[in-house]
Amino acid sequence: MLGGMEKSAIVEVLEDIAVLLEVKGENPFKIRAYQNGARALEALEEDLGTVIEAGRLGSVRGIGKALVDKITALHETGKLPYYEDLRASVPEGLVAMLEIPGFGPKKVKRVYAELGVESVAELRRACEDGRVAGLSGFGEKTAANLLKGIDNLAAYSARHLWWDVRAVALPVLEALRGLPGVEAAEVAGSFRRGMETVGDLDFLVATDDHAPVMDAFTKLDAVDTVLAKGETKSSVRFEGGLQADLRVVPPDRFASALHHFTGSKDHNVRMRQRALARGYSLSEWGLFPKREGEKPEDEIPAERESVPLKTEAAIFKKLGLAYIPPELREGRDELELAEKGKIPRLVEFDDLRGVFHNHTTASDGKASLEAMARAALDLGWEYLGIADHSKASWQAHGLDEDRLARQVKEVRAWNKDSGAGIHLFAGCEVDILKDGSLDFHADVLAQLDYVVLSVHTSMSGMSREDMTLRIIRALETDVAPRKMLGHLTGRLLLRREGYAVDVAKIIDAAAANGAAIELNAHPRRLDMDWRHWARAAEKGVLCAVNPDAHDTAGLTHTRAGVLAARKGGLTKDHILNTRTLAGIRRWLDGST
Ligand code: DGT
Ligand code: CA
Ligand code: CA
Ligand code: ZN
């Protein structure tokens, strides 16, 4: 498919068109045609190419004549002049405004049409001087919320989700490693430490020949703007706004530079203090025997003779420490652990044998139960838990009692086929209602192997205390299947803060009720946060790394969850879904 677009990308273009038309205030029927078309295309189960070739695209419900040509063009050439013109006709600032949380196309159109506001900066002024509040249907409260949203936008747009950054970083890294004369290349910084969000990328290359590396790096296809190009350091901005620094160091300085630029700053400070106490100065240039009167903040000249260090491990060793994996280098207690030889052996992706929180087309998933099972099988897993939404999540097409019973039957039937290759567990993501009761009666839940308990509604306006009680009540509810607590705070990274809860109390309640806590691996959630897992582990609460997958690709997010688990200091033994199928069955029975 030379230059053509995949179905999912075409769906996005159609959705984009609908939004742009809405911002322009176009005819609602036209807008709906694109929205419907996007949905119809998304739901198309047959291969798009086949349908187009057979001339059957026009007979797919929801796809009209005008869309057939556009979808075909995108599929075959990846281009659509209509879309390009449309984008160009809408001021860039209006498109940027759509990023403000809770500010949709209709409102963008109104401030544009009625106040002439064309950019986020102008919108801020219009909020501050009362013009927005004066619009009919807007009011003071909307204007205040909007201002908050604009502030968040500014704060958030400076950072990026780890998962999105990974997609940019890995190909660049590969390109750097492939350059002649490059002995080693790594991404350092917060990305290497597995932080949930990343400010900028920090590439590091070991070579004696800088110039070709700098040239190649600044000319990469993904590079949008070259911000600086020097002899040993360059900075660029990629498409999408992510920035990256590249530093080139001589190969014999690579280990110390990698350690330095991996950070974190707090970790580095502690390492330097420790080095000083042992008669060394540590810097990006190496480990140097300390000289009379030298202070920690003094620059050490690059020429000075350093202790030869081939690897980061050698630096730690020289300072009497066990190797500290990057994920643990946050300046918490890692030096103490390393000194005592107590650095845990962190869990790895390959340790996982399945995952439990997954959706199918029965609720708001995009893949059938069978497609999800096959994708899990392809990942080499032994089991997969199906946990579609319950009825209170009606927007997500949550299952009612009958549909749940039907799905359980489907799961049991799958397992009867001994050639299926993967075992399915019947679960449900059951809503924790406002008062802490569960969305299904205990009798209904009794047919399930496990439940994921999640808060999806009545999140705002509930106090920390009430929310904590609500969740604890759910954990204490007496039901037959074993419980996992889903996405603890409901946060959406870089979009909305989670609701406040007393995490310590909830961990205690999970421990008391034999419930596992989920580490939701969706890159925008990664909730419960890695900072709390040490406490959970201490209390004996198991972690379930769950992708919350809504399609087959979503299963691969599990990798981001494993990274967060590592950051939380968890080992294989702390993770429920590293257990064998037999081990899981024992846990579900309540025997372990
Ligand atoms: P980010 O980019 O905001 O997600 O976070 P980092 O940790 O990647 O920070 P960045 O890119 O500013 O710097 C990369 C690493 O370089 C950082 O983790 C530690 C090291 N570093 C940067 N500035 C300092 C500093 O002033 N003192 C020390 N000790 N280390 C620094
Ligand atoms: Ca960085
Ligand atoms: Ca940086
Ligand atoms: Zn959920």
Side-chain angles (χ1 to χ4, degrees):
M1 209 179 10
L2 205 70
M5 240 182 213
E6 304 235 7
K7 191 180 92 171
S8 58
I10 301 174
V11 169
E12 274 179 34
V13 171
L14 298 181
E15 284 169 349
D16 250 16
I17 291 176
V19 168
L20 291 168
L21 291 174
E22 210 167 341
V23 169
K24 291 188 79 164
E26 293 257 357
N27 174 343
F29 293 104
K30 196 166 162 188
I31 296 166
R32 206 159 312 136
Y34 283 95
Q35 286 166 342
N36 291 342
R39 237 169 285 144
L41 188 59
E42 196 166 34
L44 187 69
E45 290 202 351
E46 250 185 295
D47 174 64
L48 177 59
T50 314
V51 177
I52 290 176
E53 258 168 57
R56 283 190 282 111
L57 191 57
S59 38
V60 175
R61 231 187 112 175
I63 298 182
K65 167 87 187 62
L67 260 65
V68 171
D69 295 341
K70 293 192 172 82
I71 293 171
T72 306
L74 285 166
H75 182 72
E76 280 165 7
T77 67
K79 288 204 171 62
L80 183 60
Y82 170 74
Y83 175 52
E84 282 153 31
D85 294 346
L86 185 64
R87 274 200 84 100
S89 73
V90 175
E92 231 173 277
L94 296 190
V95 178
M97 272 187 234
L98 289 168
E99 295 288 314
I100 303 169
F103 202 56
K106 283 204 182 75
K107 288 184 181 152
V108 170
K109 193 223 143 195
R110 287 200 51 208
V111 297
Y112 177 52
E114 296 173 40
L115 302 174
V117 164
E118 271 194 33
S119 71
V120 176
E122 284 172 33
L123 182 63
R124 173 191 288 283
R125 275 194 297 276
C127 285
E128 284 165 349
D129 65 20
R131 277 180 295 150
V132 168
L135 284 180
S136 75
F138 274 66
E140 296 285 348
K141 204 167 159 201
T142 307
N145 278 338
L146 204 46
L147 264 182
K148 213 157 74 192
I150 294 171
D151 288 341
N152 281 345
L153 186 67
Y156 289 162
S157 61
R159 300 194 69 80
H160 309 265
L161 293 183
W162 182 89
W163 186 260
D164 295 344
V165 173
R166 177 178 187 260
V168 179
L170 297 187
V172 172
L173 193 58
E174 207 175 310
L176 291 173
R177 285 182 177 153
L179 296 174
V182 168
E183 289 189 18
E186 287 291 346
V187 193
S190 52
F191 178 80
R192 183 163 182 246
R193 300 200 312 281
M195 280 297 273
E196 60 274 30
T197 66
V198 171
D200 73 346
L201 277 170
D202 303 277
F203 291 101
L204 196 66
V205 165
T207 182
D208 286 316
D209 192 8
H210 331 125
V213 175
M214 286 303 174
D215 286 342
F217 178 66
T218 50
K219 284 188 187 134
L220 287 174
D221 271 350
V223 169
D224 185 70
T225 317
V226 177
L227 303 166
K229 187 179 171 197
E231 227 180 284
T232 59
K233 186 184 164 188
S234 291
S235 298
V236 300
R237 189 185 298 119
F238 295 112
E239 284 155 13
L242 174 66
Q243 295 192 16
D245 296 332
L246 167 73
R247 292 180 181 83
V248 175
V249 296
D252 66 329
R253 306 289 163 147
F254 187 70
S256 57
L258 180 59
H259 177 266
H260 174 85
F261 290 110
T262 297
S264 66
K265 212 166 149 177
D266 290 344
H267 170 84
N268 287 355
V269 168
R270 286 177 199 204
M271 287 288 282
R272 283 179 182 205
Q273 284 166 348
R274 187 176 176 92
L276 283 172
R278 304 192 150 222
Y280 293 105
S281 289
L282 175 64
S283 82
E284 62 197 273
W285 297 110
L287 192 62
F288 304 88
K290 202 178 123 194
R291 295 199 179 159
E292 198 67 37
E294 215 160 47
K295 289 196 252 354
E297 57 275 18
D298 291 348
E299 278 278 315
I300 296 166
E303 327 60 81
R304 207 154 107 193
E305 189 88 9
S306 122
V307 177
L309 302 165
K310 281 222 166 66
T311 60
E312 283 185 315
I315 305 175
F316 291 114
K317 195 166 172 209
K318 206 79 205 160
L319 298 178
L321 299 171
Y323 177 75
I324 302 176
E327 295 92 334
L328 300 184
R329 299 184 199 165
E330 293 295 342
R332 287 154 60 98
D333 59 353
E334 70 269 18
L335 264 66
E336 288 76 8
L337 291 176
E339 182 168 48
K340 294 186 209 138
K342 285 195 172 155
I343 292 288
R345 195 177 156 168
L346 303 177
V347 60
E348 287 173 29
F349 180 72
D350 288 342
D351 292 333
L352 265 59
R353 293 165 181 265
V355 293
F356 286 99
H357 179 176
N358 303 291
H359 299 269
T360 72
T361 41
S363 67
D364 62 346
K366 286 175 184 152
S368 65
L369 184 137
E370 184 178 343
M372 293 297 279
R374 300 221 176 280
L377 193 57
D378 285 346
L379 284 166
W381 288 339
E382 285 172 43
Y383 48 85
L384 182 76
I386 304 294
D388 270 308
H389 287 284
S390 64
K391 58 187 193 277
S393 281
W394 51 269
Q395 326 84 318
H397 204 46
L399 306 186
D400 61 16
E401 286 80 355
D402 289 344
R403 287 166 58 219
L404 180 66
R406 242 178 289 148
Q407 188 180 57
V408 172
K409 242 190 193 164
E410 204 183 333
V411 166
R412 305 287 180 229
W414 173 280
N415 291 335
K416 280 228 173 77
D417 173 5
S418 55
I422 185 164
H423 182 85
L424 297 183
F425 286 109
C428 180
E429 184 181 18
V430 182
D431 268 46
I432 300 175
L433 304 180
K434 194 169 180 186
D435 62 358
S437 62
L438 303 183
D439 193 19
F440 281 128
H441 194 272
D443 295 346
V444 175
L445 296 178
Q447 65 188 314
L448 300 173
D449 298 323
Y450 68 99
V451 288
V452 178
L453 305 180
S454 302
V455 170
H456 289 120
T457 52
S458 309
M459 295 187 270
S460 59
M462 200 170 222
S463 71
R464 179 169 187 262
E465 245 181 348
D466 287 347
M467 188 57 96
T468 304
L469 287 173
R470 172 178 176 181
I471 294 172
I472 290 176
R473 179 167 174 216
L475 287 170
E476 287 175 344
T477 307
D478 190 19
V479 295
R482 212 128 180 195
K483 296 169 195 143
M484 297 175 200
L485 180 58
H487 46 67
L488 174 61
T489 71
R491 75 176 180 190
L492 293 177
L493 291 166
L494 307 180
R495 277 208 192 132
R496 75 166 188 231
E497 301 252 339
Y499 39 81
V501 283
D502 187 333
V503 177
K505 277 194 184 154
I506 287 173
I507 289 173
D508 289 346
N513 293 282
I517 296 181
E518 163 179 286
L519 199 170
N520 190 299
H522 192 284
R524 207 172 272 290
R525 293 188 182 269
L526 299 172
D527 187 13
M528 176 165 94
D529 189 279
W530 60 266
R531 294 157 187 85
H532 299 301
W533 284 106
R535 187 188 168 92
E538 203 179 287
K539 300 275 173 170
V541 174
L542 280 169
C543 168
V545 178
N546 279 335
D548 200 350
H550 283 73
D551 52 26
T552 54
L555 292 171
T556 65
H557 289 152
T558 305
R559 218 170 256 290
V562 170
L563 188 65
R566 289 172 62 86
K567 219 165 162 53
L570 299 185
T571 68
K572 188 178 167 185
D573 292 343
H574 294 126
I575 313 278
L576 173 66
N577 42 326
T578 60
R579 297 191 178 182
T580 60
L581 180 56
I584 295 292
R585 284 196 167 119
R586 279 196 297 275
W587 185 78
L588 294 174
D589 287 349
S591 48
T592 48

